[in-house]
Every structure is written in C-alpha cells, then in structure tokens.
Amino acid sequence: MGARPGSRWGQLFLRSLLFLLLSGSPAPRPAGGQLRYAVPEELEHGAFVANLGEDLGLDVSTLSARRFRIVSRAGARPYLEVNLENGILFVNERIDREEVCEAGGTCLLHLQLLVESPLELYRVEVEVLDINDHAPTFPWQEYVLEVAESAVLGARFPLESAQDPDVGTNSVHTYRLSPNGFFSLEVQTRSDASKFAELVLERALDREQQRAHQVLLTALDGGVPERSGTAHILVTVLDANDNVPAFDQPLYGVSLPEDAPAGTLVIQLNATDLDEGPNGEIEYSFSGHAPPRVRELFHVEPRSGQVLLKGPLDYERASLHELYVQAKDRGPSAVAVHCRVLVHLLDVNDNAPEVTLTSVSTPVLEDAPPGTVIAVISVLDRDSGDNGRVSCEVGPDVPFELRSSFRNYYTLVTTQTLDREVVPEYNVSITARDMGSPALLTRSTLTVPVSDVNDNAPRFLQPSYSVYVMENNAPGASICSVSALDPDCQQNAYLSYSIADGHIHGMPVGTYVSINSDSGHMYALRSLDYEQIRSFQIQVQAQDAGFPPLSTNVTVHIFVLDQNDNAPVIVSPMPRNGSVATELVPRSAGPGYLVGTVSAVDADAGLNARLYYQLLQATDFTLFSIAPDTGELRTLRSFLEQDATRQQLVVQVRDGGQPALSATMSLLLSVVDTMPQTLSDFSEFSLPPDASSSSPLTLYLLVSLGSISFTFLLAILILTAIRCRGEQHSRQGDGCSLPRCHCCPGSRPSPDGLKTSNLMAQPPAGTTAATCLDVPGGGPPGYCYKVCLGPESAQSDFMFLKPCSPPRNNEKDTGKQSRASQHLQVSKQAKQPNTDCVPPSMQRPALKR
C-alpha cells in the first residue's frame, strides 16, 4: 500500500512533476477566445497554475480597477483564484480529482473570467491531471474460495477485483499470484478497459491429501512509482457438487429512466442448476467487488433473482451502472457463478435551465451603436442530450438580441439605435428553454433604462406612396400629398420637403412634378399621356432643421390611368388607291367559308383597347357575318343565282371604352366562278421556296415551246396578210361576211384594211366562249381567217385558223347586208375591251391576293 502525498517525499515529487509540466510545455495560446491549462491534483494552496495577465494580454496594473474576477455559478467551490496584483492563477483549495470528477475520462474545471470597462469575457479550461495517489484495494483482505475436488483441469474461478480511484495508467494495470503448484492466474480485460483476474486450475485437487490452499493475489497499478494492494485467498477443497448454477447469459443489458421510483423491477435474473435438493437451490447476491454506490441504488432478491431499484437515480451523476451478480447453490462445495448487468439510464428532463445575470451595464445611450453589450448572461441545464441543450431568447418587440459567445454564455446586445422618446425604459424578458419533451423553461426580467440623445430622423407615414393620375390632366393640379413626423421637438421637428434629382424619359423630374416644401403637397407640371408614359417614380426627401440635419426619403410611385382617347385603327385589309378594299369570293363557297379577317389595333389599354367587330351595312345581311371578337368574315349560306355578283359591306370596329370610339371601312366583294391565282387584301402571300425556282430542263422546254409557237403564229399571220392583199382589188368593199361563223361577229374592213376588230365578244348562249382574232390583209376571195381559242386552251401556245365563206356577189340578202353594215359601223368605232366576255379563269380581280 502506497502512502498519501502528505509525506515529504510525495510533496517533493509533486513539485518536480509540476515544474516539468510547466517548463516542458509551451505557453498556452487562446484558441477562438479560450485558454486551456493543465494542473496536477493535490497541489497545496498558492501553487502556480498560469499567468493569465500575460496570456490574455491584459495590463496587470488595471486588473483591480477593471474588477478582473472569476465568475462561478452558485454553490461551486473556489478551487482556483486570480491574484489581481500580478494576474497569476493559483490553487486556492486542494483539488482531489476523484472527488471533483467521479467518472473517468478528462477532468476539466471550466472558468469564466470577466473584466469590465470595457466588458470582456474569457473562457478558461483547467484540466486536473491524475497522480498516482491511490493504491489498488480489495473488498476483503482475506477471501475464501471453495473449489470442489472434482473440478476439471482448466476450470476458471473469477476472483474479486481490486478497485483504484485513479484513472488511466494509474488505475489497476495487472494482477500477480504467488507461486503455487495448483493454480495459475489469467488477467482479463472488460469492455471499459478495467482488469480482473481468474484463477485457473492447473493440477487436480485431492481433498484427502490437502484440504486447503493459500495463495497471495497482488493488484498492481501502472503509475510511477508503482502502487499495489494484496488479498489472501484461501482455497478450500470441497467434496464434489457436480453441477454449478448457470445464468441464461453472461451479460444482461437494461434501460431504465432516471425518474423510476424505488421498488421498480430492473431485471429478472434466472440461473439453473441440474442438481437436486439443496445442491439445486440457488441464491442470488451481489459479488464481492460490487461498488458501494451500486449497493445503495439496487437490491437483489436472494431467492427470486429479481434486481429491484432501491435508491433515487441521477443521470447527470452517472448514466451507466454496472452490476455484478453471483448465483450459488446451497449444497456443499457450492461454486458461485457470476453475470454482469449493465443498467443504462435514460435521461429525463427533470432539470429546468438556470439563468444567471453575470454583469449588467445600464443605463444605455439611445445613440449607442448596434452591438453594444448590455449584459452577460449564463445558462445551465444539468440534463444531457436534447434535455440539456438550451436555447435562450429575448421577448418580442425589443431592440435587443442575444449572441452566443461561448457554450451556454450569451451577451445581450442592441440590434438598432434606441429612441428614448418612444420607449424610455425596456423590461427585457429572457427565456431559457431546453429541448426536452416536455420542454422546461426559465424566465428572467432585466430592466434597461435608456438615456436621451437627440437623434431622431423624420419618418414618413407610409413606407411608399402610390398615386393614380388620369391622363390628360390639367397642368398645375394637385396629385397627392406626403407627410412625415419627427418625434423630436422645436427646430429638430421642423420639416421641409423636396424632390430628389433625377430624370424621367430623359427629362429632369422637376419638369414633371413639384412639391410644396412646407405642406408636402405635390403638383403635376404637365399634362400626362398614358400612351407615352404609363408610370414613373420619384424620391421625396423630408429633412429636419437639426444640426446636423437628418433626412429620410420615400418613393412615390405615380401611375397614369388610361382614358379612351384613341379610336381603333383598321390595319387589314387596306383600301387600294384611296378607294374601298376588294376581295374575290368563289360562287361555290359554302356556309362558313372564311372570306378574310378584318384586323384593327387600339393604342389604349384594358377595356379601352378591347375591340368588337360588326356589320353596319351589307347588300345582303343573310349572306355574310363577322365574328365580333376575331373579325373573321364568313359566309352564312351558299350563293344563289339571284345573288348580286358584287356585295358591298361596311364593317365597324369599336372599342370597349366609355364612351366607345369606333372606325369603319368599306369592303367590296366580287363573286366569281373560279378563283384566280392571286392574293387578296386580307393577307400577305409568299410563294413556296420550290415555286420560285425550277430545274434547267423545265426552263429549256418552256423557251423552246414558246419559240416554236411564236414562229408558227407569225408564219400564219404573214400568209393570211399576203392572200388578203391579193384579193383586195377584186372585191368591192363587201369585206368578209361571216354569217355562219360563231367565233366573232362579222365586220367589214375599211379601205385601208381591217384596222380594228372585236377581240373580246360575248358568245351566244349555249356556245363555248372563244377568243377571236381578225387577220387583216389580202386573202383569197370569199375567205376571212379568224384565230379562235377556246377556254380549255387558254394556257396553250397553239392557235387554229377557221375559214369563213363570204356570200357570193349575186346573192342579195338585205337582212345580211344590214347586219354587215351594223358590224361595219361598230368596227369603225374605238371599242373598249369587254371584260364580261373574258372567261372567269382569265379575269384578274381588282384586289391582288
């Protein structure tokens, strides 16, 4: 057993160890505003820990004036203190690591250092290093182990474990067994890295030869110097009790909420023994090395094997309890078997957050910049996980917010410039709420008075203004009024209004609107036109008379409302040469045939630009109709024989304004039998790409065919002229009478030859229309040649000559002569082409399609 460090040798060792730690490690550096030091436990009062004044860069001479101190929560022991004269952190009270940190792992002391003027907060962590100040100890100095003489070789017997409050290498490291001829020792490691020993039978026992064996078990830690503890084990050899109890499993795990009441069943253990009678009756109990804390919290029923809760649990103190339970029958030479029960505690949100106002700086100037620190607040929740995670917030409608500087530490700062004229004092409600279910919360109220400073700028009654002005307004008329308030008094509250410089459509804003500097009334300086400008915005400034002056701008959106001041304009179809628009309609068109579409535009907007189409006048209202919304002109029925070939329509387009404006147009529709390959006035037409170009072969054929046709026609004309001139002297001016020629009416030539001819003639009813050509010149007597083309050959390049026999000289037919004289008179007149004789396929409509 090692001595406590109170001895002179122990003190010398600790001082040497401290010197090595402090001199061998570099000076700590703040990491993100946090310092960390290490100090061994069990140091005496006044032992040096760190020079905080130097590490934090503070002026040592001002530490006392700035109230440099350690902030601790209520009830915490002052293990460390700061010397305000030199800034040294020293040990104020002896630190026992095993007392400060019951659980293993890193043991940290969290210090919060506060210095005022200005207010600054530092966080320091001091790790308490474990020293080997405890030796391993066994629950009993002497331990009796009963082993049946029938135990087989290799049988294992768990021994009581030694306990060492130290951690790490200073805890129990290994076990040793005194030399003997029957047993050996094997050291096992648990899941938590702790060690325990098992006695292994190496040689068969014989109770008749030796009834008992004594061995010495030594537990050694890994510290320097090494410490040890011993226990005497008396092995008693018993007569054979062939079967030992056996648990269902060597390890049990169970979860238990920390607020479970006393008497709660933790687990039901079950062990079986194949023996009968007392050798099969099992008793349960804690093993010898169960820690005292476990015996205080739990109880094992000897007969039933139930593990019951005995005392109150606390998750914050220990979240896991390890129970070692043994089962042993009541027969002679009973051998105990062991199992381990791991009790995992479930955290319950049973601790409300604690709020502590560490430092408060009041009152606050109302012109204090945002971010000014008002107070330092610390919160603490002893729960863990979500139950220990705390969110801190301030009440609504206050110009303050909480900023997290360290974990569970907040600074209350301003978020905006304060205004004492509005709120002279704030009662800030601070709420700390954990994340448990149900959540627990704590509220604390902090009163913050505000000191007055004249820093209020004017404020407009609205964040922005929207003004609607009807177009064509009168210049100089008032369009709106803006107003602002200033909570200051006297000249600081006197306001003047102005319009910020800018441009609207390239013109200065001052040419559009003006403002009265005292009242804020705004006036339009020109008449607005919706079709030119629909909206614009200006910046109005309100400035007080303080020094320096404060001002505020507001945006005024001006929207121009439309009036119905633009009549519709018809864009399609357009009249040709200042006259009416024309269109061709096939006579074969049925009901619903789309003649065309009338299109119009209106420069107005909304209902003022919504257009409606209707027929004001029509030759026959039962024949055509127009869609009121789209302007599509369609037929209502099929054409009849008695329907006029020319239909006059008057279309009106009116908008939806009040009052409505309209435009009209006249449209002339011509009913034809066959539609030509032309375009109408209603739409533009473009040839397909393949129609404008053809292959070279087609072009060569067309040129060749045209040349041959022209040569043939020219030869016929020359031949006819020669023959007619040969007969000119033998004829007495009767010309060529063609009573039986239906190609064209008869005509007599003039003395100079046939000068005119009726090229376009209306054929008799029931005959086929043809195009005729009189060939002048001398031909054989009694013959007149005509060139006639039928409608089916209108596109052909060939002509055919038909001879017409004139009457003989001795045939006197008065009726025929009168008809010939009538034809002669007609031929002497300058005739106009009669387009009515042209077949429908050869006519050209008045509108180009």
Side-chain angles (χ1 to χ4, degrees):
M1 301 290 291
R4 299 290 293 177
S7 64
R8 181 176 180 182
W9 181 89
Q11 293 178 2
L12 179 61
F13 166 73
L14 288 177
R15 290 192 182 97
S16 301
L17 178 62
L18 178 61
F19 175 78
L20 291 175
L21 289 172
L22 295 179
S23 61
S25 302
R29 293 290 184 267
Q34 178 174 317
L35 298 175
R36 184 166 182 171
Y37 303 97
V39 59
E41 62 175 332
E42 302 293 346
L43 291 181
E44 297 179 354
H45 174 78
F48 174 85
V49 177
N51 191 337
L52 293 178
E54 178 181 347
D55 294 341
L56 296 177
L58 300 177
D59 188 357
V60 178
S61 61
T62 62
L63 293 181
S64 178
R66 296 182 64 184
R67 299 183 62 193
F68 183 56
R69 63 189 183 276
I70 298 177
V71 180
S72 303
R73 61 183 177 86
R77 297 179 62 177
Y79 290 108
L80 303 173
E81 279 294 341
V82 177
N83 190 333
L84 297 182
E85 295 180 357
N86 52 21
I88 292 178
L89 180 67
F90 63 90
V91 177
N92 183 52
E93 185 177 328
R94 187 183 66 85
I95 303 174
D96 187 355
R97 185 191 181 284
E98 289 72 30
E99 179 183 351
V100 173
C101 303
E102 295 184 4
T106 305
C107 183
L108 297 176
L109 294 179
H110 299 279
L111 305 179
Q112 285 76 35
L113 305 178
L114 186 68
V115 61
E116 299 182 358
S117 301
L119 186 64
E120 294 178 342
L121 181 66
Y122 302 95
R123 184 172 181 176
V124 176
E125 290 184 354
V126 179
E127 181 181 358
V128 180
L129 302 177
D130 181 48
I131 64 173
N132 194 17
D133 57 343
H134 295 86
T137 59
F138 287 94
W140 298 284
Q141 295 297 319
E142 293 185 356
Y143 178 67
V144 177
L145 177 63
E146 296 178 345
V147 180
E149 63 176 338
S150 59
V152 297
L153 297 180
R156 296 173 178 271
F157 305 96
L159 301 178
E160 296 292 341
S161 299
Q163 303 295 325
D164 193 331
D166 295 326
V167 296
T169 57
N170 295 329
S171 62
V172 176
H173 181 63
T174 188
Y175 293 89
R176 293 177 184 172
L177 188 67
S178 60
N180 64 91
F182 291 90
F183 300 95
S184 65
L185 189 69
E186 287 191 6
V187 180
Q188 305 290 340
T189 303
R190 297 188 182 94
S191 59
D192 59 353
S194 60
K195 310 286 185 178
F196 68 94
E198 290 182 343
L199 203 62
V200 182
L201 182 62
E202 301 289 347
R203 180 180 171 186
L205 300 175
D206 188 352
R207 184 176 180 278
E208 286 70 27
Q209 291 184 4
Q210 187 175 354
R211 300 175 58 91
H213 302 270
Q214 287 190 354
V215 293
L216 180 65
L217 179 64
T218 304
L220 302 172
D221 61 22
V224 178
E226 185 180 66
R227 294 177 178 272
S228 63
T230 59
H232 293 275
I233 300 177
L234 177 64
V235 181
T236 302
V237 181
L238 303 177
D239 285 335
N241 184 6
D242 299 341
N243 296 284
V244 297
F247 282 99
D248 295 339
Q249 55 192 62
L251 176 64
Y252 295 88
V254 64
S255 298
L256 193 67
E258 65 170 326
D259 60 348
T264 300
L265 175 64
V266 178
I267 192 173
Q268 172 70 58
L269 299 177
N270 184 37
T272 58
D273 194 324
L274 299 179
D275 293 330
E276 296 181 353
N279 293 333
E281 297 178 0
I282 301 175
E283 291 184 349
Y284 301 90
S285 63
F286 282 116
S287 63
H289 54 273
R293 178 64 177 169
V294 171
R295 298 177 185 271
E296 293 176 2
L297 297 178
F298 302 96
H299 169 68
V300 179
E301 287 290 335
R303 303 296 295 173
S304 64
Q306 292 181 344
V307 180
L308 303 177
L309 184 62
K310 181 180 178 181
L313 301 175
D314 190 354
Y315 178 90
E316 288 70 36
R317 184 173 181 180
S319 61
L320 175 66
H321 294 281
E322 192 171 5
L323 285 62
Y324 293 92
V325 181
Q326 66 180 10
K328 185 170 63 174
D329 60 31
R330 302 180 64 185
S333 305
V335 177
V337 294
H338 301 77
C339 74
R340 186 167 55 141
V341 180
L342 298 180
V343 180
H344 299 271
L345 297 187
L346 301 177
D347 185 34
V348 176
N349 194 19
D350 55 349
N351 293 283
E354 301 174 5
V355 179
T356 303
L357 299 177
T358 303
S359 179
V360 180
S361 298
T362 56
V364 182
L365 294 175
E366 65 172 334
D367 63 346
T372 301
V373 178
I374 306 301
V376 177
I377 301 167
S378 63
V379 294
L380 176 65
D381 194 316
R382 301 181 184 277
D383 295 320
S384 62
D386 290 339
N387 297 330
R389 190 176 302 124
V390 181
S391 63
C392 199
E393 59 184 13
V394 297
D397 303 327
V398 292
F400 304 99
E401 68 176 2
L402 291 174
R403 295 180 181 175
S404 179
S405 54
F406 300 107
R407 184 174 181 272
N408 294 336
Y409 273 84
Y410 298 87
T411 55
L412 181 67
V413 299
T414 59
T415 59
Q416 64 187 37
T417 302
L418 306 180
D419 193 346
R420 196 201 69 84
E421 287 75 20
V422 177
V423 181
E425 184 179 84
Y426 292 92
N427 291 320
V428 183
S429 176
I430 302 172
T431 303
R433 179 183 289 102
D434 59 27
M435 304 299 178
S437 179
L440 301 179
L441 57 87
T442 301
R443 287 191 176 92
S444 179
T445 302
L446 174 63
T447 301
V448 180
V450 182
S451 59
D452 184 36
V453 173
N454 184 23
D455 59 348
N456 289 282
R459 292 182 297 174
F460 282 93
L461 300 182
Q462 299 180 18
S464 65
Y465 291 84
S466 296
V467 181
Y468 299 90
V469 181
M470 189 67 68
E471 67 172 331
N472 303 320
N473 59 296
S478 176
I479 57 175
C480 71
S481 176
V482 297
S483 181
L485 297 177
D486 193 324
D488 294 327
C489 60
Q490 297 179 359
Q491 68 174 8
N492 294 325
Y494 179 77
L495 302 180
S496 61
Y497 301 91
S498 62
I499 296 178
D501 294 335
H503 290 81
I504 301 174
H505 287 205
M507 297 293 293
V509 68
T511 62
Y512 280 83
V513 292
S514 65
I515 190 170
N516 188 305
S517 61
D518 295 328
S519 63
H521 290 286
M522 298 179 61
Y523 305 91
L525 299 181
R526 61 168 63 183
S527 181
L528 303 177
D529 188 354
Y530 176 83
E531 285 70 37
Q532 295 182 0
I533 180 171
R534 299 192 175 187
S535 65
F536 59 91
Q537 65 182 23
I538 60 176
Q539 293 287 329
V540 177
Q541 182 184 74
Q543 180 173 293
D544 60 24
F547 183 81
L550 301 178
S551 62
T552 302
N553 290 353
V554 70
T555 302
V556 179
H557 301 273
I558 299 178
F559 300 93
V560 182
L561 302 180
D562 183 38
Q563 279 187 336
N564 193 20
D565 55 349
N566 292 279
V569 177
I570 299 176
V571 297
S572 176
M574 296 296 294
R576 181 168 299 170
N577 299 327
S579 61
V580 297
T582 61
E583 175 64 16
L584 299 181
V585 181
R587 185 174 292 275
S588 61
Y593 174 79
L594 177 61
V595 179
T597 303
V598 178
S599 301
V601 294
D602 195 317
D604 294 323
L607 290 177
N608 296 331
R610 186 171 182 178
L611 303 180
Y612 302 91
Y613 302 85
Q614 66 176 358
L615 287 177
L616 286 184
Q617 298 177 12
T619 304
D620 188 350
F621 279 101
T622 65
L623 191 54
F624 298 99
S625 68
I626 190 169
D629 295 327
T630 62
E632 293 181 348
L633 184 63
R634 295 181 181 270
T635 58
L636 293 175
R637 58 178 176 82
S638 301
F639 289 95
L640 303 178
E641 291 294 335
Q642 61 271 22
D643 290 334
T645 58
R646 293 178 180 272
Q647 298 285 336
Q648 183 77 27
L649 304 180
V650 177
V651 179
Q652 182 191 56
V653 183
R654 60 180 177 83
D655 57 27
Q658 293 294 334
L661 301 179
S662 63
T664 60
M665 69 164 295
S666 296
L667 180 63
L668 179 62
L669 303 179
S670 297
V671 181
V672 297
D673 292 332
T674 304
M675 292 292 291
Q677 299 298 324
T678 57
L679 299 175
S680 69
D681 288 338
F682 283 101
S683 61
E684 294 295 332
F685 181 80
S686 60
L687 292 175
D690 56 351
S692 59
S693 62
S694 60
S695 63
L697 179 59
T698 304
L699 180 60
Y700 297 155
L701 291 176
L702 291 177
V703 172
S704 301
L705 183 59
S707 301
I708 296 172
S709 300
F710 177 75
T711 304
F712 178 70
L713 179 60
L714 183 61
I716 292 176
L717 291 177
I718 295 174
L719 180 60
T720 303
I722 294 174
R723 297 183 69 176
C724 287
R725 287 180 181 178
E727 296 179 356
Q728 183 176 6
H729 299 286
S730 62
R731 297 185 63 85
Q732 298 298 325
D734 291 337
C736 182
S737 176
L738 303 173
R740 293 186 298 272
C741 181
H742 299 291
C743 294
C744 59
S747 59
R748 292 184 64 86
S750 63
D752 298 332
L754 188 58
K755 300 299 185 182
T756 61
S757 62
N758 190 358
L759 297 178
M760 300 298 181
Q762 180 68 32
T767 63
T768 302
T771 302
C772 303
L773 175 64
D774 291 342
V775 181
Y783 288 90
C784 177
Y785 291 90
K786 305 286 186 180
V787 179
C788 299
L789 290 175
E792 65 276 0
S793 61
Q795 303 296 330
S796 175
D797 294 328
F798 296 96
M799 294 184 178
F800 299 89
L801 297 179
K802 294 183 179 180
C804 297
S805 299
R808 298 185 181 271
N809 295 334
N810 57 358
E811 294 179 357
K812 305 293 184 180
D813 192 343
T814 308
K816 295 180 180 180
Q817 291 178 358
S818 63
R819 288 195 296 271
S821 63
Q822 292 176 2
H823 285 293
L824 181 59
Q825 293 174 2
V826 174
S827 64
K828 291 181 178 180
Q829 298 176 0
K831 295 184 179 180
Q832 299 294 329
N834 188 1
T835 58
D836 294 337
C837 295
V838 181
S841 62
M842 297 300 295
Q843 292 181 357
R844 271 187 85 80
L847 293 179
K848 184 178 180 180
R849 187 176 292 274

